[in-house]
Amino acid sequence: MQSNYVEKDGQYMLRLLSPEMKLITIKKISTMITKMKTTVASIFIALICFSSCSSDDDNNSNDVLLEEDEIPTEITSYVSTHFETNSIFRAEKETENNKVNYNIYLETSYELEFNSDFEIIEIDGITQLPDSVIPELILDYVTENYPDNVITDWELETNYQQVELNNGYELEFGLNGDFIRLDLD
């Protein structure tokens, strides 16, 4: 496609030499550019508003790094009882929507989460969790039905418990430890 400018009735026009041989005025091109700038500016403003709204949401969450002497004794006691060869290398107190949780990171790749009553609600690991942290009925079920696998994660939800095995399977159990289902999601 070739182009050149022509003057017609005091307006400069851009002649596009195409199969249709249409004339487009510079005024129309200028209007199109202005509309594109307005659209880009609107998108930019929307993104700024979205990100500032998003950071407002983060104001509802407040993570505080805890010093060793600030970690509740119930938590340090739990760690020393069940993870005796591990030590805490990071502890955070997280407050989100007026709900407090404690996130504890152990030196050998275990992450523990405690609720505001210092009760364990989640344990994530990359290796086998200690048997002492798994409810007995759940441990018995896994040992019997998955003898070649180990539990690497445990989580307590409102209405059930869930464990993840080293083969990626997630098993759900009732609060009393009775097997509910295999979660293949």
Side-chain angles (χ1 to χ4, degrees):
M1 180 183 329
Q2 297 176 339
S3 63
N4 59 1
Y5 292 97
V6 294
E7 183 178 349
K8 182 177 179 185
D9 300 328
Q11 286 188 344
Y12 284 97
M13 303 178 100
L14 177 63
R15 180 184 305 225
L16 300 174
L17 302 178
S18 66
E20 296 87 26
M21 296 294 290
K22 294 183 179 178
L23 293 176
I24 301 173
T25 66
I26 291 184
K27 184 176 181 181
K28 286 183 182 178
I29 292 173
S30 176
T31 303
M32 289 176 9
I33 291 172
T34 303
K35 285 181 181 178
M36 285 192 293
K37 285 181 181 178
T38 303
T39 302
V40 169
S42 297
I43 291 170
F44 183 71
I45 290 170
L47 286 173
I48 289 173
C49 289
F50 178 73
S51 69
S52 64
C53 289
S54 180
S55 53
D56 284 345
D57 291 344
D58 291 342
N59 290 336
N60 292 332
S61 176
N62 185 17
D63 293 349
V64 175
L65 191 60
L66 299 176
E67 297 295 328
E68 187 175 345
D69 61 343
E70 296 174 314
I71 302 171
T73 56
E74 294 89 343
I75 293 174
T76 56
S77 176
Y78 184 90
V79 170
S80 64
T81 299
H82 300 287
F83 297 90
E84 45 195 50
T85 60
N86 291 272
S87 55
I88 297 172
F89 80 87
R90 182 179 177 92
E92 299 172 346
K93 180 179 180 181
E94 176 184 72
T95 305
E96 186 171 339
N97 298 325
N98 296 324
K99 182 180 169 190
V100 175
N101 281 344
Y102 295 88
N103 298 311
I104 307 299
Y105 302 90
L106 304 182
E107 63 184 14
T108 55
S109 302
Y110 289 113
E111 297 177 20
L112 290 69
E113 185 174 345
F114 294 83
N115 63 19
S116 59
D117 294 326
F118 315 119
E119 299 165 330
I120 188 73
I121 57 172
E122 185 172 355
I123 307 170
D124 291 325
I126 57 173
T127 60
Q128 181 177 1
L129 298 181
D131 289 349
S132 63
V133 300
I134 307 298
E136 189 175 345
L137 284 176
I138 295 174
L139 187 60
D140 290 345
Y141 181 88
V142 171
T143 302
E144 183 178 322
N145 293 284
Y146 299 91
D148 297 330
N149 298 105
V150 296
I151 298 171
T152 58
D153 301 321
W154 173 85
E155 185 173 358
L156 178 63
E157 296 289 345
T158 305
N159 298 320
Y160 65 94
Q161 300 176 72
Q162 181 173 316
V163 296
E164 184 174 340
L165 306 180
N166 62 330
N167 63 359
Y169 286 6
E170 294 181 354
L171 309 173
E172 290 185 8
F173 296 86
L175 295 177
N176 61 358
D178 292 335
F179 177 74
I180 297 174
R181 70 184 184 109
L182 171 64
D183 186 3
L184 295 175
D185 292 335

